[in-house]
Amino acid sequence: MSFQKKDLITIKDLSASDINYFVETAKEFKKISLKDIKKVPTLRGKTVVNIFYEPSTRTRSSFEIAQKRLSADSLSITVSQSSVVKGESLKDTLLNLEAMKPDAFVVRHSESGAAHFISKITKASVVNAGDGINEHPTQCLLDIMTVAEVKKDFKSLKVAIIGDIYHSRVARSDIYGFSKLGAEIYLYAPHSLLPRMIEYGGGKVFIAKSMEEAVKNADVIIMLRIQKERASYYFIPSIEEYRNFFKLTPELLSKADKKVIVLHPGPVNRDVEISGSIINENKTHIFKQVENGVAVRMACLYILIGYQKLNG
Amino acid sequence: MDKLLIKNGIVIDPLTKTEVKRDIYIENGIIKDLPVKKPTVDKGVVKTISADGLIVFPGLIDMHVHLREPGYEYKETIKSGMEAAISGGFTSICCMPNTKPVNDSEEVTRFLIDKAKNLDLINLFPIGAISKGLKGVSLADIGKLKEAGAVALSDDGNPVEDSALMGRALLYADTFNLPVISHSEDIKLRGKGVINEGVMSERLGVIGMPSIAEDIGTARDVILAGYYGVKLHVAHVSTAGSVNIIKQAKKIGIKVTCETCPHYFSLTEESLLDYNTNAKMNPPLRTEMDKRAVVEAIQDGTIDVIATDHAPHSKDEKDDTLDAAPFGIIGLETSLPLTLRLFHDKKISLIRIAELMSLNPAKILNISGRGSVSNGYIGDITVVDLNKKWQFTEREIKSLSKNSPFIGEKFKGKTSFVMAGGKILKEN
């Protein structure tokens, strides 16, 4: 088994067996994080550059820890402290970094398509760590891994994705990823925050008529973060209203399958999209997601840089 | 009164499209098929109304009324508005949110519903605001409005100028299956106009409102509804242009419905001749050509509803120049007689009137149990004497305001009985 691409930009590029390969590899790497000495020499002598054009706590530390555990040499560029603020274009920044011969870039950008753009410029591998509203493939893989640890078969699994789907790169990647594995996806959101055209490569994707329909007998519930700014652009009336009609409450959760897995990509707005008590009472897999995130990112870097070694 | 029998009336039922002479039996406020054992046997328990030679309609519903409470009780209160409605044959009215405070919150919606409940007259269905304060800047708490009892949303009088806000309002309201009623108008193009732009505005030397300001507004709103695949109801259609846009939109499957008001098929801009402020409203009275188009659209089904846009203003407010007087006329007490003229002129049937004034408003607003005279429906009934001749005088107006261009008008056809939930509110 191997993966025949230099980059991980979009889940659309991955077949079901590719996804399984990433997840199985991540399961192996997860063991390293559980050891006393959490370090292997797998990527010794390799250079990874993290460029974050958008603030991030979880994803960035997850990638940095993954790199350290694989013994890669890594550096992180924060845009506010870089020459970008002096007016350098994305292309020039990348050409300069490219000249320093890195093996991989990890890119987070507020513009959709940024990781794709960079992958065309550089010979190094590019991992998309979130581009605009487009995709967040490593989040999708860690979500799948978290579910796969509990559920063996994804066929006919009911996955509810609830919240600001229109603006969510997590939703986009998850819809592609879970449906490639045969799951049925139920989307629910204020209709102003639903995607307009729904066509996800032939996957079984449905719009639920109510929150209840979405969560009823669901095996997986993925709650998305709602940003306060959405009210300023008329997508929702107010956070208060959102809380009243689109929050996952314990009552709603009780309608899901008894063994339901509740996910949230973070950061969580407690008591806006999800009742704080659901998290406090340990009824979510949110921290499992974060734990698996490191393993998934180790697997991604290992697989992509490994491909470089064979084909570079 | 738990048992009521309406005997020998000609019953117009728009749901089954029937016009049959039959009795209507109402028990505990609900219309029931006549029991096999005739209820007339135990006299005294059953109240009987003779509707010999009269027409029995399902209770009329006016989906576009401005009650001025809270805030402007000197123009109209909920009570006076309801009394005018009863006089005009209505058993349900829907009130627009442009009160003070604006009905953009559950508190105001609940206030209206509670007040109506205490009055115990006819049904009141509040319409909430699309945008907070009708300002067109941010969405009102639409889910909350629905929960409190609002049946629709509208920024009536203040067209939503921002297309993004209007589009997202349509989508967000669709989440709650709440209909949106648009006052479709390009307000920049309307400008400071006070009457229709054309011959009359030139003759009077006042600033006109071009009819295309309405057409453009209608086109935009219909396009938004079509693109997003959601429902839209266009208020007070008055131009040939709007009628045509809606007709075409319906043809291609856009989920649009619309209403017109009796004054648009009864009057033209000629009524403004004497700078008559009681003929000033928005949209304004248009031309003969527009009037004809509206009548045709009522006939061919393009127009779904006749609503009044009942807009009371005090005598002092209307007693001013055409420029300064406020827009709007009262309409609850003249709506049915004006519509009956279309019947007397053989333009539409009585069944069509029942559709336009009862069934369709109930359907558009998802008001269940109303709009038909059949088994299981609520006992809201309007009984009409088609041939009764009468004159509309200012003295008889039940509304607190008297701003009607129809004062002095002679009519044929008048409401004889009105009952809501089986309770008789008007008897001859």
Side-chain angles (χ1 to χ4, degrees), chain B residues 55-346:
Chain B
I55 299 295
V56 180
F57 281 120
L60 304 183
I61 301 171
D62 188 347
M63 67 181 285
H64 194 146
V65 173
H66 296 271
L67 297 175
R68 302 305 193 185
E69 190 178 346
Y72 306 99
E73 288 83 354
Y74 67 96
K75 296 177 195 245
E76 193 85 284
T77 62
I78 295 169
K79 184 164 182 282
S80 68
M82 283 190 172
E83 281 161 356
I86 292 165
S87 173
F90 292 98
T91 55
S92 298
I93 53 176
C94 306
C95 55
M96 283 291 174
N98 59 341
T99 47
K100 196 177 178 182
V102 165
N103 182 15
D104 60 359
S105 67
E106 52 178 329
E107 289 80 9
V108 178
T109 299
R110 291 227 160 88
F111 162 81
L112 293 165
I113 289 171
D114 289 347
K115 190 103 189 198
K117 202 171 275 171
N118 289 335
L119 287 169
D120 193 23
L121 295 167
I122 55 170
N123 314 296
L124 181 66
F125 296 106
I127 295 169
I130 294 172
S131 70
K132 285 193 183 91
L134 303 174
K135 291 197 172 90
V137 178
S138 56
L139 291 180
D141 283 352
I142 288 168
K144 283 269 185 188
L145 284 166
K146 160 106 182 193
E147 224 173 39
V151 296
L153 301 168
S154 184
D155 271 6
D156 184 64
N158 297 39
V160 178
E161 199 179 359
D162 183 331
S163 300
L165 176 60
M166 188 63 182
R168 282 167 203 156
L170 288 168
L171 285 168
Y172 190 81
D174 185 56
T175 317
F176 298 91
N177 193 25
L178 205 52
V180 174
I181 302 171
S182 72
H183 172 131
S184 297
E185 187 183 20
D186 184 318
I187 50 174
K188 293 267 166 61
L189 190 53
R190 176 234 287 172
K192 290 181 174 164
V194 290
I195 68 168
N196 186 47
E197 183 170 84
V199 176
M200 191 53 62
S201 64
E202 269 311 300
R203 197 184 302 172
L204 298 178
V206 296
I207 297 174
M209 299 187 240
S211 58
I212 56 164
E214 178 179 324
D215 304 348
I216 290 168
T218 302
R220 184 207 63 173
D221 291 337
V222 161
I223 288 167
L224 283 170
Y227 178 76
Y228 290 123
V230 296
K231 285 190 239 173
L232 169 76
H233 180 79
V234 182
H236 44 53
V237 169
S238 76
T239 65
S242 287
V243 162
N244 190 36
I245 287 160
I246 292 164
K247 189 173 182 168
Q248 300 309 321
K250 283 184 168 189
K251 241 181 229 167
I252 59 169
I254 295 175
K255 293 183 252 176
V256 60
T257 55
C258 72
E259 74 199 24
T260 192
C261 311
H263 38 279
Y264 301 121
F265 61 75
S266 305
L267 303 174
T268 66
E269 58 181 6
E270 292 290 318
S271 299
L272 273 306
L273 195 55
D274 199 23
Y275 294 87
N276 179 9
T277 58
N278 278 345
K280 177 186 175 183
M281 76 288 286
N282 186 21
L285 296 174
R286 307 285 188 182
T287 65
E288 192 59 41
M289 192 261 294
D290 295 300
K291 186 178 127 186
R292 264 205 310 275
V294 168
V295 172
E296 272 169 35
I298 290 172
Q299 293 174 296
D300 72 15
T302 302
I303 287 174
D304 305 274
V305 169
I306 292 174
T308 63
D309 195 5
H310 178 85
H313 292 294
S314 78
K315 200 135 206 159
D316 291 333
E317 288 167 327
K318 278 291 194 181
D319 199 7
D320 208 329
T321 61
L322 199 51
D323 273 344
F327 290 108
I329 62 167
I330 56 169
L332 284 165
E333 292 162 79
T334 47
S335 181
L336 180 63
L338 288 165
T339 307
L340 285 174
R341 280 185 180 169
L342 296 175
F343 167 74
H344 291 306
D345 293 345
K346 306 208 175 344

